[in-house]
């Protein structure tokens, strides 16, 4: 409550006058009256603060998308209405007493976060980029895998063929009736495997390997046909044939080439 | 009278005997020469010899056997696939066909039919499809493998049941790997099913996964999920540039496999100089 001597009526008269005269009379009064001066200053401060708040409100209002806002509010209202109504639970209620001890609460929160991080790190030594469970490989990759397989299988075929041939010739020298390699059906197995190699060797243009494998195939076919009643003379004939065409040497050369490529 | 008949019979046999022996020796020699020419891939000369054998000794049992080699010659000459196919089929019908060559002839028929299909004769593939139910397991397996290479994915998928059977029952590692790769090509989901059904030792990995990402990119430029049994083969079949990047970082296939097996499933992350990342892990 002001203690100024200017009455309410006097003030109303003052405010009702012309603006210029009013401003002048008011300024004269404020020079003389410290109470009214203090009151005027307080009102000015209030007006300044109000102006600052208005500026903030204008900035906030400018950031709102007024067109989508109604839809957003409606969506949230619908989502809220779908949630079952439940009494608010307090899973962390046991921590409430710690609210009075912020340092202790911080320490416990740190331990919980650290333990969770340790669990995830130790559970999977490295994080997996994805978890899809099906098999898949591109056609291009499968072609490369088949080329690799062709090299390995050809190498294996040549190695085994060498053993069979050496066994056949060793048996012929020792005068055995039928070599073990022929008795055990190894030549037949090799013939069956050669079928798969044919296509691969052609597809991957491994012509040298194909040529030698074809010759071995022919030889084994011959051996498998006559093995039942093979005489020492027949062994000698085949051995002479293999030596003449240096088949074992050729096998070794192609093997070396394939080994270098693998 | 009986004595007279016996005498005449003996005389007839003795009179034919040397001739029969001579013919046998001559047709055998001719057949052997033809086979030697086949061995040396002198297809035209071998074909002539086989023709000569048939002309000179039409009743020789070797003429039937020579049909297989006739097929070989026609196949080798190129451009005469249909004639070759007929020769192999004739061989299979021949009374002189031998068990070991029957399997071979079936294989050649599958190959030739597939080549004709590749050349645009879609109907030729029926010969391969028909052999998916062949009584001989070797023929059945080979037909399935070959069919899996067909360009038409729907047709290729017909091989899946036989390929699954190979993975389920075969012990031969070479055949198993072939069947697995063929299934990856035509029906990866069938392979997954059969691999999941196959019991493995506890803790043994089932799957190998590889991802290769170029520097700064999230999406991999190369992705692979394959049975662990093919891991060694898969790592060998990586692109040469990727293999070179691995080598540069001191990794070879043996080391990768060793590290993966020891770490029991952890991820192996190798960053190349260009920022590309190779991730390999097992499940």
């Amino acid at each position: 409550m002001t203690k100024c001597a200017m009455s309410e009526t006097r003030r109303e008269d003052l405010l009702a006058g012309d603006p210029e005269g009013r401003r002048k009379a008011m300024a004269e009064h404020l020079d003389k009256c410290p109470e009214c001066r203090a009151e005027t200053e307080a009102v000015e401060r209030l007006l300044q603060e109000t102006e600052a708040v208005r500026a903030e409100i204008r900035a906030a209002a400018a950031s709102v998308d007024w067109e989508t806002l109604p839809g957003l509010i409606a969506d949230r209202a619908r989502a809220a209405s779908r949630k079952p109504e439940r009494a608010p639970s307090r899973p962390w209620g046991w921590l409430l007493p710690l609210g009075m001890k912020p340092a202790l609460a911080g320490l416990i929160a740190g331990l919980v976060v650290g333990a969770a991080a340790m669990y995830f790190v130790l559970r999977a030594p490295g994080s997996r980029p994805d978890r899809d469970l099906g098999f898949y490989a591109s056609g291009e990759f499968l072609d490369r895998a088949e080329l690799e397989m062709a090299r390995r299988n050809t190498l294996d075929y040549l190695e085994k063929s060498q053993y069979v041939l050496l066994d056949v010739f060793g048996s012929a020298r020792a005068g055995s009736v039928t070599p073990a390699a022929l008795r055990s059906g190894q030549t037949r197995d090799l013939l069956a495997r050669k079928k798969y190699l044919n296509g691969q060797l052609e597809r991957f243009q491994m012509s040298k390997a194909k040529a030698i494998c074809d010759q071995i195939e022919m030889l084994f076919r011959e051996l498998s046909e006559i093995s039942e009643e093979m005489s020492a003379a027949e062994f000698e004939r085949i051995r002479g044939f293999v030596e003449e065409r240096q088949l074992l040497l050729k096998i070794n050369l192609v093997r070396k080439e394939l080994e270098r490529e693998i | 009278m009986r004595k007279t008949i016996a005498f005449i019979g003996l005389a007839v046999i003795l009179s034919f005997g040397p001739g029969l022996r001579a013919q046998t020796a001559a047709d055998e020699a001719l057949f052997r020469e033809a086979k030697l020419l086949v061995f040396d891939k002198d297809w035209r000369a071998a074909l002539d010899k086989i023709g000569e054998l048939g002309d000179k000794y039409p009743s020789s049992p070797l003429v039937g056997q020579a049909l297989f080699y006739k097929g070989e010659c026609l196949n080798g000459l190129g451009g005469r696939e249909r004639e070759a196919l007929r020769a192999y089929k004739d061989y299979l019908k021949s009374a002189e066909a031998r068990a070991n060559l029957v399997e071979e002839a079936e294989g050649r028929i599958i190959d030739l039919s597939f080549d004709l299909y590749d050349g645009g004769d879609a109907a030729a593939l029926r010969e391969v499809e028909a052999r998916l139910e062949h009584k001989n397991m070797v023929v059945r397996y080979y037909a399935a493998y070959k069919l899996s290479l067909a360009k038409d994915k729907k047709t290729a998928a017909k091989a899946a049941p036989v390929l699954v059977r190979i993975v389920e029952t075969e012990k031969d590692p070479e055949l198993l790997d072939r069947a697995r790769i063929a299934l990856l090509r035509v029906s990866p989901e069938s392979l997954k099913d059969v691999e999941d059904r196959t019991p493995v030792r506890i803790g043994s990995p089932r799957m190998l996964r590889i991802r290769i990402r170029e520097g700064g990119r999230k999406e991999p430029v190369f992705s692979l999920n394959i049975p662990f049994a093919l891991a060694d083969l898969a790592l060998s079949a990586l692109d040469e540039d990727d293999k070179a990047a691995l080598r540069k970082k001191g990794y070879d296939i043996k080391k990768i496999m060793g590290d993966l097996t020891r770490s029991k499933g952890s991820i192996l992350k190798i960053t190349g100089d260009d920022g590309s990342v190779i991730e390999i892990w097992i499940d």
Side-chain angles (χ1 to χ4, degrees), chain A residues 218 222 226 233-234 237-238 241, chain B residues 24-39 46 49-50 53 62 69:
Chain A
M218 177 79 189
E222 188 70 9
I226 60 174
E234 273 171 318
R237 181 176 65 82
I238 291 173
F241 175 78
Chain B
T24 306
D27 61 356
E28 267 181 13
L30 208 52
F31 189 40
R32 195 173 291 162
E33 276 177 53
K35 285 201 279 188
L36 277 174
L37 289 165
V38 171
F39 187 93
K49 278 278 181 244
I50 290 166
L53 176 72
L62 296 176
Y69 294 96

Side-chain angles (χ1 to χ4, degrees), chain A:
Chain A
M1 178 67 71
T2 176
K3 291 175 184 171
C4 177
M6 190 188 277
S7 68
E8 287 288 320
T9 318
R10 173 83 181 92
R11 281 187 195 172
E12 282 169 11
D13 291 344
L14 194 74
L15 290 169
D18 70 294
E20 194 50 39
R22 199 167 54 208
R23 194 174 291 118
K24 200 175 168 184
M26 197 65 186
E28 281 169 5
H29 176 71
L30 287 175
D31 282 344
K32 292 174 202 161
C33 178
E35 281 180 28
C36 283
R37 200 164 52 239
E39 197 173 344
T40 304
E41 282 168 5
V43 169
E44 275 175 358
R45 270 201 304 277
L46 182 67
L47 286 172
Q48 276 172 2
E49 282 169 15
T50 307
E51 187 55 35
V53 172
R54 279 172 65 191
E56 278 178 27
I57 290 170
R58 272 197 299 271
S63 69
V64 175
D65 183 351
W66 294 101
E67 283 182 15
T68 58
L69 188 63
L72 196 67
I73 292 168
D75 286 347
R76 288 193 180 167
R78 272 197 294 273
S81 68
R82 276 198 297 271
K83 285 181 190 166
E85 280 186 24
R86 286 167 58 182
S89 62
R90 287 186 168 182
W92 304 99
W94 57 278
L95 277 174
L96 278 179
L98 297 174
M100 301 303 286
K101 299 166 187 165
L104 192 56
L107 182 65
I108 289 175
L111 282 172
V112 169
V113 170
M118 284 284 279
Y119 168 73
F120 284 114
V121 167
L122 292 177
R123 191 187 58 153
S127 62
R128 272 96 166 109
D130 47 48
R131 298 288 306 169
D132 48 337
L133 296 170
F135 286 143
Y136 61 82
S138 67
E140 189 194 343
F141 173 80
L142 290 175
D143 283 346
R144 281 206 302 271
E146 281 211 277
L147 170 64
E148 187 60 32
M149 196 194 279
R151 279 192 200 133
R152 290 181 186 195
N153 294 349
T154 307
L155 195 60
D156 190 54
Y157 176 81
L158 291 174
E159 279 173 7
K160 289 202 167 81
S161 302
Q162 259 185 327
Y163 294 140
V164 169
L165 291 176
L166 291 170
D167 179 43
V168 168
F169 302 141
S171 303
R173 266 193 280 275
S176 165
V177 181
T178 309
L182 298 182
R183 276 199 307 272
S184 62
Q186 279 182 4
T187 50
R188 198 163 171 176
D189 288 345
L190 286 167
L191 282 171
R193 286 176 59 183
K194 172 64 170 46
K195 267 196 276 295
Y196 293 92
L197 290 181
N198 285 337
Q200 286 184 325
L201 293 173
E202 262 169 34
R203 228 170 109 207
F204 301 118
Q205 298 174 343
M206 296 161 74
S207 54
K208 264 192 221 168
K210 170 91 168 61
I212 193 80
C213 289
D214 283 349
Q215 289 195 323
I216 295 168
E217 180 188 20
M218 177 79 189
L219 193 65
F220 285 163
R221 203 182 293 138
E222 188 70 9
L223 282 169
S224 67
E225 269 195 59
I226 60 174
S227 61
E228 283 166 23
E229 65 273 8
M230 193 177 273
S231 65
E234 273 171 318
F235 272 129
E236 272 309 307
R237 181 176 65 82
I238 291 173
R239 191 173 68 87
F241 175 78
V242 169
E243 277 180 3
E244 187 191 312
R245 278 161 175 78
Q246 298 182 313
L247 205 58
L248 287 167
L249 174 69
K250 285 184 199 166
I251 291 175
N252 267 332
L253 291 173
V254 174
R255 269 183 60 187
K256 290 279 171 290
E257 269 180 40
L258 290 171
E259 276 164 2
R260 270 202 300 275
E261 284 171 26
I262 286 174

Side-chain angles (χ1 to χ4, degrees), chain B residues 118-183:
Chain B
D118 251 356
D121 181 1
L125 213 55
R126 280 193 215 123
E127 293 280 0
V128 185
E129 284 181 49
R131 281 164 175 80
L132 287 175
E133 288 172 16
H134 200 279
K135 58 181 186 236
N136 184 320
M137 190 184 73
V138 175
V139 177
R140 210 162 54 233
Y141 284 4
Y142 188 60
Y145 165 75
K146 206 74 190 183
L147 194 63
S148 75
L149 298 171
K151 283 172 288 200
D152 176 31
K153 294 295 153 207
K154 210 173 156 189
T155 309
K158 289 180 188 172
V162 179
L163 294 168
V164 164
R165 189 91 188 109
I166 298 174
V167 177
E168 276 175 338
T169 57
E170 256 309 316
K171 297 279 181 281
D172 183 287
E174 195 177 310
L175 257 181
L176 266 171
D177 283 356
R178 276 186 205 288
R180 283 189 178 116
I181 288 189
L183 269 176

